[in-house]
Amino acid sequence: MIGVGLVIIAVAILISHAKTPAPIPSSIVSPGLVATSTSVVSTTTPSEKTNVTNIGPFPINAADTIVSWNFKGAYTGNATLSNQYNADASHLKSLLGKGQYDNYDLYIGIGNDANLVGDGKGAYDAYNHAIAIYPNKGLAYVNLAHLMDELGAYQTAVDAYAKAVAVEPAVLEYHLEQLYYLTHQFPKNNALLLAAFTAASKQFGDSAAILSIEAQWLESLGRYADAVKAWQTVEALSPADRASAINAQIARDTAKE
């Protein structure tokens, strides 16, 4: 067992929205909680083909300007944790090409470690190395999108989330990450959001997780009647133990109509 930042697998976890690298996906319930495991577990299979040629770095959108590649990471300013994660990154680099772990997973771990200490360029380079190995896997794009959000490159983050759901449209977590980001960063871009919600709905049908994000977005726009309809569907799709909380939210929105 070795540390890899926030690369997670093998347990039922939830994706964090606290601007930290996204975990390797497992089963999803709803967004919002942080998983804590830091073990490397391979996410690839021998049958997956690598493609390390003709894959350049993920482009920075022309609308974005990255003023500085350094930012305040989760462990910036904490010498003990920074040293720990720098050592962890060095250890992961020493494992590259050894065959014990897939290089894709290792590069994502290296990128996550760089992200935690605010090294944007190091994280960007590592995620791009992962993308070059498996350009049709979504995790590196999602983590890169988190990074671009940290760096204020918001359109590039949009592009990276779009790429993640394009290459692995059947992974619900990537759609949720994209929708959460878009509804918070671009809440009034109806065309962009409609396209994202439509794509997710076509892929998964009625989903409590997707509709929960939609309902919260509608609330932020003051569209309480529409939010109530979304919450009602969420309630119908959710376990009985969530009914009380959802109905309370429906009552709050109804009072605001």
Side-chain angles (χ1 to χ4, degrees), residues 111-190:
N112 290 353
D113 281 336
N115 194 306
L116 288 167
V117 296
D119 176 9
K121 190 60 167 61
Y124 178 69
D125 290 344
Y127 295 146
N128 275 301
H129 278 300
I131 289 169
I133 295 170
Y134 294 115
N136 292 321
K137 290 179 69 70
L139 181 62
Y141 297 111
V142 172
N143 280 7
L144 192 145
H146 278 273
L147 172 66
M148 290 298 121
D149 186 25
E150 292 276 10
L151 295 169
Y154 303 123
Q155 292 294 335
T156 307
V158 170
D159 297 341
Y161 280 123
K163 185 67 173 179
V165 300
V167 298
E168 289 195 285
V171 180
L172 175 59
E173 291 91 332
Y174 299 160
H175 289 270
L176 298 181
E177 285 289 303
Q178 179 193 42
L179 291 171
Y180 185 90
Y181 175 76
L182 294 179
T183 56
H184 284 74
Q185 194 63 250
F186 300 96
K188 296 184 178 180
N189 192 326
N190 289 332

Side-chain angles (χ1 to χ4, degrees), residues 1 4-11 13 23 34-41:
M1 306 263 301
V4 295
L6 294 182
V7 175
I8 316 294
I9 198 170
V11 292
I13 55 90
V34 182
T36 57
S37 171
T38 58
S39 300
V40 170
V41 181

